[in-house]
Structure formats: structure tokens, C-alpha cells
Amino acid sequence: MNAVLKPSACFHCGLPVPAGASWSVTIDDVPRAMCCPGCEAVAQTIVDIGQSAYYRDRDEYAVNAFDATLMPPELRLYSNDDAQFARDASSCEATLSVEGIRCAACVWLIERQLTRLPGVQAASLNVATERLYVRWSRAECEPGDILQAVRQVGYTAYPYDAVRHGERLQKASKTLGRQLFVAGLSMMQVMMYVAPSYLAAEDGTLDDSMASLMRWASLLLTLPAICYSAMPFFQGAWASLRARTLGMDVPVALGILAAFFGSVVATLTGRGEVYYDSATMFIFLLLCSRYFELQARRKAASALERLQHALPASASLMAGFPDSRATTLVPAGSLAVGDVILVKPGEAIAADSVIVEGTSALDLSLLTGESAAQRRKTGERVPGGAINASAAIILRVLKPARESTLSDLLKLIERAGSGKPQIAQWADKVAAWFVLGLLLFAVAVFAFWSWHDAAQAWPVAIAVLVVSCPCALSLATPTALAAATDSLLRRGVLIVQPHVLETLHRATHIVFDKTGTLTLGRPVLQQVEGLGSMGEDACLQVAAALEAGSAHPLAQAILAAASEHSGAHAEQLQEVQGQGLEGIVDGVRYRLGNAAFVAAIAGPPLGDTAVGVQGMTPLYLGAQGRWLTRFLLSDALRPEAADVVAYFHRRGKQVVLLSGDQEALTQSVAAQLGIATACGECLPDEKLDFVQQLQATGAVVAMVGDGINDAAVLSAADVSFAMGSGAALAQAHADTVLLSSQLVSVLDTARTAARSMRIIRENLGWATLYNLTAIPAAALGFLNPWLSGVGMAASSAVVIANALRLRKV
């Protein structure tokens, strides 16, 4: 039976709807009033996942905040069976958006709450993007348990949605702006009453009745700041205490309450000092600091947000093409492989496609960081997420929108920021203990001054609570890392793992792959040498048939050279990693690869096959008992390769070249670049062994590669880079993806890592020095409460401003 709904009650929880409230959710085509943003968020989520029937079938309201310990039934609608939570047979994962994050203390509190939950394997909240990554066991935990755990500490979480997340951030910014305005107005009005009191007290012209009147007026003007503007601090402190932890809002809230209630007592009794001006100024300054912190986080995460909003929601489908050119607007998610779409100038391409008609310039800046538009013509592929910059084009969809290039990048981004580097974990731990130590110290200071000078005990204790700045410690690292990540992403470098900048900065060895990394990766067939009776054209056709399905650069060179020839078809194709291909073409078994691999089927090598050609890569083709052809290919060094290698040499790093190519060719490239240690003809397991041996001696190894053969070693290295044009498997195993496919991006990342670590050390040093100086000064009575508030706000502002310097390119 449906719940009896009161007209003025929240449709979700039944509490009264405040006068003038604008929160509402459309349920079954009817706008329903909500009492708060939390109910609005939960109700909207229920509608979004197609569970509106919950409201039709319920027989009572949802549990409201007055009974928050109970499990709201609407959270049980989420299940491990939902596709959005799937990971593997034993575990699930999700990226959630969290409402109500006020500072780095919230991050620590939420993570701590979730790690206590049975079945939760990992929980990491990114303070810059306000997204929570959680992984849990299917057998021990449900999504509803996680959402409820977050709710128990005073926050609301729901599955991430870019549009909804943006709207929530905008609303949170407006709320904080209103709180800041009220605090500033209260502060100015209180100062108008307090300043005359200070001046008149010096010459004795202020009588007791007038002093009392001004105190009462100050009390009334302080109430809006305490009851409205200071709520974020009280909510954060209460959430910490409910979770039996000491968050960074606790000393702030205690300082505000101590100043306020001490002043109220003095106002009621007519004895003692009042601190209404200090309390309002403290609230105003802290909100200013928090507002700037919020804006800094938005700026630091701006590049990620641009990517999140880049995929179009719709596409113009040409269902009757080529007979009809009529278009129908359809959701981008409904596009299937083979659909034909029209993309007009200025529109984003909804899915990876191939141009079937037209020529245009494409803006790939979001995907690669390159600002210059690139020309694409009929027959060429275009990635989803690119912007059509000039003429209308018609495309045929190659992949669904959810599998487009930009979607793949967004999946990598979901992994980005899902953890914390060691230096950030250290700062969080220090800040957590810092709060406990500060509270104990404040009690000791109060006790000392009560014995030494009772009149000063209360203001000195307030000053100690107020002047401390644990937020600066916790903000020092995440703000800097978020700013650095944003700067690199705008230059085509996607940081996937949190430790990249820290580990790269302390790396001792930089290991490069050759083909596609130090070289352009686009070798060209320079020469075909016949070794048997089979003609060169016929050999080229056989080689092209064997390489038809390979993405290796050498294979692409063979295919490009054979494009004018009619291709044959290979059967029973087998690839031996690092050696070559074997298959049957027109009933004959062939092998294409290095000399040793082909010799196993063709017989002992001929004399000519043992003679290498400097600067060329040989590929041999052979059949049973016959050597047929040697293909000679060459690959040019990237223009920036020498500068990149020289930079690492200047930084004292050991540069190593590992390649699967011929030893002589590998040594030639190493000699050109000044690399002392180079190994050619390395199989994937040999590359892996080499890196692991370095690590066994204490080396910190950075690996740069692009091919599928590099996936294992990229995963094993301490920090790794995959070229954006390389194999998808290599990118999946790398810590960083170079979207621009330019080697100079490695140099940019190394320089940014050095700057980031320097700024993080500066921030941590400043926060430590400030607290070591300001807290004793306050304890000795040299700082009054309002001056302490100025110091705390300034400390956080310095940390944030210093970190934002990393956004400059």
C-alpha cells in the first residue's frame, strides 16, 4: 500500500520541505518536492537506474536523518549484479561521486570508514575530482553497504555521472559562496560595534550600559555566522566524532565554539572578554581559504572534466544511406558497428569511424594534446571524441561509442587518481596524529594558564586551536599532484597511477624500447633481395598475407609496400613473439621473421643471410627447405630522441636500450644517441629478466615502450610509459600513456616530476615551519584569537597558491 504523502512533506523521506526550497525530482512525469540536496540526490539516482516503482510500491517513507543508523531501503536497490559494478567473478568496483567534501580531512575520514567495512579491498577518494574509487568482494559486500557506510559519516555517494557531478559542484560552490557572504557581512557588522568599544575603553568614556548593549548587539550579529556559515566545520567535526576519529575540522569547530560560548558567558554575566569579532573573522577567513581551495581543486581537475564532457550525447544517423541522405537524431550509445552518421562542422565524433565521404580537418587536442588540426580524407579512420573542424563528413561506425578511443581514455582516467603516492599517505598520517597531539597540547596550555594567569587561559587556548593548520599538511601533496596532472594532460600525458611523478623523480635507470619509442616506428621497405627462384612480387604478396593481421610497425611497412599488389590469404597463422610468423599461403607453409626462426624450416642459412646491413632491419621469408627473400627495412630516429637521452644523462640517470631488433642495429642506434648499455635481440622474457635484475640490485627502473612485447616489462618496472600510438595492451599495463605519441613528453613528465617534488617539499616544509612557529607563539600568549585565524587561513592559501604554479606550462 502506498504511503500517505503529506503535501508539504518531502516525497522521499517525509520531513517538512523548508519554505522557498527548490529541490525536486521528476518521478513518473510528476515533479516531487524534496527537503534537501541529499534526498534529491538519492531520489534522482533511484529514477536514473529505472527503479521508480520503489515509490509506487512503498508503504512508508525512506528513513530520514533522525534515524540515520538504519539502512535506507532504497540503497538496497543497487546490486553486485549491475553491469556498472562488474570487475571479475570474485570482485566488483565502482567510481562514485561524493557530496559534501569540504577539505582533505573528509578524504581521510571516508577512506578510513570504508576500509573498516568487511569485504572492501580498496578505497581511494581523489580530493581534486571528488570521485571515490572502491573495490570490494562480491561474497562479503554489496553496493548498498558501501553507500550506507559513506552516509553514516555524513556524506552522500552515488555512481558517477559527469553531468550530474558538474551540477552538484556548481550548487556546492554557490552554497559556499552564500556562507562566505553571510560570514563576511557578520564580521563587518560586528567590527562596527567592537572597534568603538576598543577605542572608548582606552579613555574610559564607555559606560557599562553602553558596553553591555554593544555586546548584545554583537551576539545577535554573530549568530548568522555561527548558525549558518560555520556549519561546514561543525558537520565535519560531528562526522569525525561519530566515526570515532579526530578529523581536521575538530580543532576548528572547538575553536569557534570556545570563542562563541566564552563570549556568550561573558555577555550574560557582564564579566570577562568577548571574542565575537575573532569568531566571525575566523569563520570568514577559513571560508575564504576553503573557497579558494575549492576553486583550486576545480582548476586542477579541469582537464579531466573536459574529457568527461567531450563525448557527444547524440549523433545524426543516416539509416537509408546511400539511397537516402535523411538524418535522424539518436543517442550516441545506441550506435552499432556499420551505422552511417553525418558529422557537421563543430560537432564531436560519437564513435571510432572511417570516412566514407568527404574531407575535413579534425581537432584532436583532447585526445593527443596537439592543437593543430589534422586533415582526414575518405578511407581514413577517425577516433571517437575528435572534433570536426571544417567540412561536413559522412562516416561508418567501426566501434560502439562505449568502445571509442575517448571512452578507452576515460576508462584509464577512472584509474587515474585512484590511489595515493607514499608522500601523500605520509602527510595524511602525520595530519591525523597532529590533530590528537594538538588537542592534548591545547588542554595542557589551558591548564598552565589557568594556574599562571586565569584571565588569559581561555583566549590562549582558543588561539592554540585556531592557529594550527593541519589542512596545510594534507593539502600540500594532493593539490600539487592534481595541478601537475592537469598540466601534463593538457600536453598529452595521461598519468594513470598516483606514484608516477614521485617514482620517476627518484628513478636511477631509464630503459627505452627502440622501435616506435626512440625511433618513429614507421619503417619503410628499402630493398628486396631474392635468395631463391621465387619472384620479388610474389614474395612480397606472401609476406603481406602473413602480416595482414599484425599491428607491428615492420608489418605495416610490408603491407604498405604490397598495397599495389593483389593480396593472398594466409591460413593456420601462428605468431612466435619476438621471432616471427608462420602460416600457409596457397597450400605452402612459410615463415617470416629473423634468420634463426626461418632457418628452422628453410635449412642452414645461406652465406648472404649472415651478412648484416648497417642501419637496416632484415626480415627473411622461407619455405620448407628453401630460403626465398630478404627484406631490408629502415627506421629513423625521432627528432627529439637525442635531447631526451641527453637530459637523463645530465640528471645522472643510467640510460639503457632494450630491443628485440638485430644486435648490430640496436648498437647503431645506441651509438647515435650516446647510450652505453644496449641489448638487441631481446625476447619479452629477457627484457623482463633484465629489468628485474636491475631492481634486485636496488635500482629504480623507469621503462618506456610501445609494443605488445613490452606489456610484461612495463608492468614490472617501477614506473612505465606507453606511447599513445602503441598497442592497447601496452597502454593497459603502463603507469602513464603518452597521448601525443611524442617522446619529448617523457622529458616534460620528468621535468614536471622534479618541479612537483620540489613544490611538495616546499609546501610540507612551510606547513611544518608554520605550525612549529605559530603554535608555540599562541601558547605563549603572543597571538590573540583573531590573529591566529589570519595565520591559519594564510597558511592554507600559501600552500594552494604554491601548488597552482604547476599548472603553468
Side-chain angles (χ1 to χ4, degrees):
M1 184 174 117
N2 290 344
V4 178
L5 305 179
K6 295 171 284 185
S8 60
C10 173
F11 191 75
H12 179 71
C13 72
L15 290 177
V17 177
S22 59
W23 301 294
S24 69
V25 175
T26 301
I27 302 173
D28 293 333
D29 300 324
V30 179
R32 302 292 188 178
M34 301 289 159
C35 67
C36 65
C39 286
E40 183 185 50
V42 174
Q44 187 63 54
T45 300
I46 293 173
V47 173
D48 291 344
I49 64 175
Q51 298 289 341
S52 299
Y54 161 75
Y55 291 105
R56 295 192 297 269
D57 300 336
R58 64 181 177 178
D59 53 14
E60 60 181 5
Y61 284 109
V63 177
N64 56 48
F66 291 106
D67 199 4
T69 58
L70 298 179
M71 180 65 175
E74 63 269 18
L75 298 187
R76 292 296 185 189
L77 296 174
Y78 291 108
S79 167
N80 285 335
D81 296 329
D82 293 345
Q84 61 181 327
F85 302 130
R87 185 172 187 265
D88 53 44
S90 61
S91 63
C92 295
E93 64 181 3
T95 299
L96 308 175
S97 184
V98 183
E99 290 185 355
I101 294 178
R102 293 169 292 277
C103 68
C106 304
V107 176
W108 175 76
L109 178 61
I110 293 171
E111 290 176 348
R112 189 171 185 271
Q113 173 77 355
L114 289 179
T115 52
R116 292 175 170 180
L117 194 66
V120 173
Q121 300 166 348
S124 182
L125 178 57
N126 188 319
V127 69
T129 60
E130 301 183 11
R131 286 182 295 170
L132 171 65
Y133 169 80
V134 189
R135 187 176 71 251
W136 67 91
S137 168
R138 284 179 176 269
E140 300 178 72
C141 193
E142 287 283 341
D145 300 331
I146 293 168
L147 299 177
Q148 173 66 5
V150 176
R151 184 175 183 270
Q152 285 175 340
V153 289
Y155 305 88
T156 301
Y158 50 85
Y160 179 81
D161 174 79
V163 175
R164 183 175 172 188
H165 183 71
E167 293 174 350
R168 186 190 62 77
L169 291 180
Q170 187 176 12
K171 183 179 294 185
S173 182
K174 290 181 179 179
T175 300
L176 184 56
R178 288 193 294 267
Q179 290 171 330
L180 180 61
F181 174 78
V182 171
L185 188 62
S186 292
M187 179 189 69
M188 289 187 294
Q189 295 299 319
V190 169
M191 291 299 294
M192 290 176 61
Y193 286 94
V194 171
S197 300
Y198 287 151
L199 296 175
E202 294 180 358
D203 54 16
T205 59
L206 185 68
D207 58 37
D208 292 341
S209 59
M210 183 59 67
S212 176
L213 177 62
M214 289 188 173
R215 288 186 175 190
W216 280 102
S218 298
L219 169 60
L220 295 176
L221 291 170
T222 303
L223 284 175
I226 296 293
C227 297
Y228 177 66
S229 298
M231 286 308 295
F233 310 113
F234 298 150
Q235 290 168 348
W238 177 242
S240 297
L241 295 176
R242 284 182 58 192
R244 298 181 181 180
T245 60
L246 292 175
M248 295 167 211
D249 280 325
V250 172
V252 172
L254 287 176
I256 294 172
L257 292 175
F260 177 71
F261 284 110
S263 302
V264 170
V265 171
T267 301
L268 293 174
T269 61
R271 295 190 300 273
E273 297 293 331
V274 294
Y275 309 102
Y276 297 123
D277 54 335
S278 297
T280 54
M281 183 178 293
F282 182 38
I283 294 170
F284 175 74
L285 292 173
L286 276 183
L287 286 175
C288 283
S289 175
R290 192 155 290 186
Y291 185 82
F292 291 139
E293 176 192 341
L294 179 65
Q295 298 305 314
R297 293 207 312 257
R298 304 285 162 75
K299 289 180 180 179
S302 60
L304 297 181
E305 295 301 322
R306 286 196 302 272
L307 279 176
Q308 291 286 359
H309 292 277
L311 278 177
S314 61
S316 298
L317 177 66
M318 304 179 71
F321 184 85
D323 298 331
S324 171
R325 292 180 174 261
T327 61
T328 304
L329 196 65
V330 299
S334 67
L335 293 177
V337 176
D339 283 348
V340 177
I341 58 175
L342 172 68
V343 180
K344 300 175 183 178
E347 294 181 347
I349 297 171
D352 287 8
S353 310
V354 61
I355 300 177
V356 296
E357 186 178 303
T359 300
S360 183
L362 300 183
D363 179 359
L364 303 176
S365 58
L366 281 176
L367 302 172
T368 66
E370 292 290 332
S371 58
Q374 300 182 18
R375 301 292 298 179
R376 289 290 191 273
K377 60 181 183 297
T378 301
E380 293 187 325
R381 298 181 60 161
V382 294
I387 307 296
N388 183 12
S390 58
I393 50 177
I394 298 175
L395 309 115
R396 178 172 285 107
V397 176
L398 298 178
K399 293 181 180 179
R402 63 180 179 275
E403 299 176 10
S404 69
T405 300
L406 183 55
S407 294
D408 289 340
L409 288 180
L410 293 177
K411 292 172 186 176
L412 289 175
I413 290 172
E414 294 298 338
R415 291 168 52 192
S418 63
K420 294 182 181 179
Q422 292 181 355
I423 192 170
Q425 295 173 2
W426 174 85
D428 285 349
K429 291 178 182 178
V430 169
W433 284 104
F434 178 87
V435 173
L436 176 60
L438 173 69
L439 295 178
L440 294 176
F441 182 70
V443 172
V445 167
F446 181 79
F448 169 79
W449 279 95
S450 296
W451 167 78
H452 179 69
D453 184 356
Q456 293 296 316
W458 197 248
V460 169
I462 293 173
V464 170
L465 289 172
V466 169
V467 80
S468 65
C469 197
C471 286
L473 283 173
S474 287
L475 286 173
T477 300
T479 307
L481 292 178
T485 301
D486 171 75
S487 173
L488 286 171
L489 187 56
R490 286 185 282 124
R491 287 178 281 168
V493 180
L494 173 60
I495 303 292
V496 179
Q497 296 298 337
H499 65 86
V500 168
L501 298 177
E502 180 183 7
T503 307
L504 179 61
H505 180 63
R506 59 186 180 89
T508 59
H509 290 69
I510 313 295
V511 179
F512 289 97
D513 176 45
K514 183 183 72 66
T515 304
T517 304
L518 290 175
T519 65
L520 291 172
R522 296 191 297 270
V524 177
L525 180 61
Q526 301 287 1
Q527 190 174 349
V528 180
E529 296 181 352
L531 302 178
S533 58
M534 191 170 176
E536 293 183 2
D537 288 349
C539 290
L540 193 57
Q541 290 184 44
V542 171
L546 294 172
E547 298 280 24
S550 176
H552 194 281
L554 295 178
Q556 295 302 307
I558 294 291
L559 293 171
S563 61
E564 298 179 1
H565 303 272
S566 57
H569 177 67
E571 299 175 343
Q572 299 182 22
L573 192 64
Q574 295 181 350
E575 179 179 0
V576 180
Q577 285 191 3
Q579 298 187 52
L581 296 163
E582 178 180 325
I584 296 176
V585 179
D586 295 332
V588 179
R589 184 174 298 277
Y590 295 95
R591 277 194 173 187
L592 177 68
N594 61 38
F597 177 64
V598 175
I601 188 176
L606 300 177
D608 291 342
T609 64
V611 179
V613 179
Q614 187 71 13
M616 297 284 190
T617 300
L619 275 182
Y620 297 92
L621 178 67
Q624 188 65 45
R626 293 182 296 157
W627 288 85
L628 300 175
T629 306
R630 177 166 71 170
F631 302 103
L632 294 176
L633 305 97
S634 64
D635 187 12
L637 286 175
R638 290 180 179 268
E640 67 271 25
D643 291 337
V644 172
V645 172
Y647 171 82
F648 286 116
H649 278 150
R650 291 195 303 271
R651 302 288 295 183
K653 315 288 187 183
Q654 298 293 319
V655 181
V656 179
L657 174 58
L658 297 181
S659 176
D661 278 350
Q662 187 183 36
E663 179 69 24
L665 185 58
T666 301
Q667 294 298 335
S668 173
V669 170
Q672 294 179 62
L673 296 175
I675 299 176
T677 304
C679 298
E681 301 179 2
C682 290
L683 297 177
D685 56 339
E686 293 173 335
K687 290 184 179 182
L688 180 61
D689 289 342
F690 188 97
V691 168
Q692 290 176 336
Q693 288 174 13
L694 287 177
Q695 292 170 324
T697 63
V700 178
V701 180
M703 176 72 195
V704 186
D706 81 320
I708 192 170
N709 292 344
D710 297 322
V713 70
L714 287 171
S715 182
D718 296 286
V719 61
S720 55
F721 296 80
M723 307 300 287
S725 58
L729 182 61
Q731 296 177 15
H733 287 80
D735 301 321
T736 310
V737 178
L738 307 179
L739 303 176
S740 63
S741 296
Q742 294 182 0
L743 191 62
V744 72
S745 295
V746 179
L747 190 151
D748 287 341
T749 308
R751 287 173 172 164
T752 302
R755 290 185 63 211
S756 299
M757 293 304 107
R758 184 177 69 252
I759 284 179
I760 287 172
R761 286 194 295 268
E762 291 172 357
N763 282 349
L764 291 175
W766 161 256
T768 303
L769 178 64
Y770 166 81
N771 282 295
L772 289 177
T773 304
I775 293 177
L780 293 174
F782 296 140
L783 298 177
N784 57 32
W786 75 265
L787 193 58
S788 298
V790 173
M792 181 184 180
S795 180
S796 294
V798 167
V799 166
I800 294 169
N802 194 36
L804 287 180
R805 290 193 297 134
L806 287 167
R807 295 189 74 245
K808 296 181 180 179
V809 178

